[in-house]
Amino acid sequence: MIRNAVGSLLGLLGAAAAVWSPFRAWYDGRRGRDYRVQELFSGAGITDGRASLFGSLLLPFVLAAVLALVAVVLRSRLLMALAGVVVLGFAALWMVRQGQAAGSLSVGGDGRGLGDGLANAFGGGALLILGAAVMRGRPPRRTRADRDAPTHRDPDHPDHRDPSYRDPGHQDPAHRDPGHQEHYRPGPAGPADPAGWPPRRPPPGTGDGTGREHP
């Protein structure tokens, strides 16, 4: 959760920097909101014409900020990284087209050359990528079977028992000794039966065969 919070904070800072960058100077004091976004994809390249607010470079950066907000809500690393790629991609594409229009790019401290608006755009894109790398993302969803599964393994449960375990009281018929036969074991032999079987008790009142009557 801490990683998601830190990554979300970095992503939001990056989105804010990217949205703020078109209101700063990009080249020779010209703000990013003055560049038409369609000029980046046309054969004519960058011109001196002014652009409307949502027809300028602000448009892709606002879309990237919306992606970043959705990524924070959904805790999606992919959407956060995609927002960073959009910001960095448009900033790099602008540099290519501006270099073609001006012949070369320069950096100056007197307001000439590349301005801090472009630096804000690259910094915002980098923060978005960094936020995606820091975020842990959403935890995997647990299925119903995972929720119903016991939290501990019972070694005596048949499903958790070691396959090599064999109940000592259970005798597998396949491993029974074919020569083994179960014999009847009689009790102790009675004195009146020489064959070893217990004597049969006579009915009451008839005696026990020895001439004595039972009371």
Side-chain angles (χ1 to χ4, degrees), residues 32-173:
R33 58 156 296 175
D34 296 332
Y35 294 92
R36 297 174 182 174
V37 68
Q38 63 265 25
E39 293 178 350
L40 303 180
F41 305 97
S42 64
I46 294 177
T47 63
D48 294 334
R50 293 179 59 87
S52 61
L53 182 61
F54 287 100
S56 65
L57 290 177
L58 179 64
L59 177 62
F61 294 157
V62 169
L63 294 178
V66 172
L67 285 177
L69 290 176
V70 175
V72 170
V73 174
L74 300 180
R75 290 178 290 179
S76 174
R77 302 177 62 187
L78 180 61
L79 291 179
M80 185 70 73
L82 180 60
V85 170
V86 169
V87 173
L88 294 177
F90 273 90
L93 180 60
W94 174 88
M95 287 188 66
V96 172
R97 303 298 282 177
Q98 180 64 40
Q100 293 175 349
S104 63
L105 296 178
S106 61
V107 180
D110 54 353
R112 309 289 297 180
L114 297 176
D116 55 353
L118 180 63
N120 290 340
F122 276 109
L127 285 176
L128 288 167
I129 298 294
L130 181 60
V134 172
M135 289 179 65
R136 191 169 185 176
R138 301 184 65 178
R141 296 184 61 182
R142 297 181 60 187
T143 61
R144 183 175 181 181
D146 295 335
R147 292 194 299 266
D148 296 340
T151 56
H152 66 281
R153 293 178 61 88
D154 185 2
D156 296 331
H157 195 278
D159 296 336
H160 301 157
R161 188 173 294 170
D162 188 358
S164 62
Y165 171 81
R166 184 178 298 276
D167 188 357
H170 173 73
Q171 187 176 6
D172 190 355

Side-chain angles (χ1 to χ4, degrees), residues 171-211:
Q171 187 176 6
D172 190 355
H175 296 84
R176 182 175 296 175
D177 186 3
H180 174 73
Q181 295 182 0
E182 295 183 355
H183 299 281
Y184 174 76
R185 294 184 179 182
D193 192 348
W197 293 94
R200 182 178 300 173
R201 187 174 183 179
T206 60
D208 56 0
T210 59

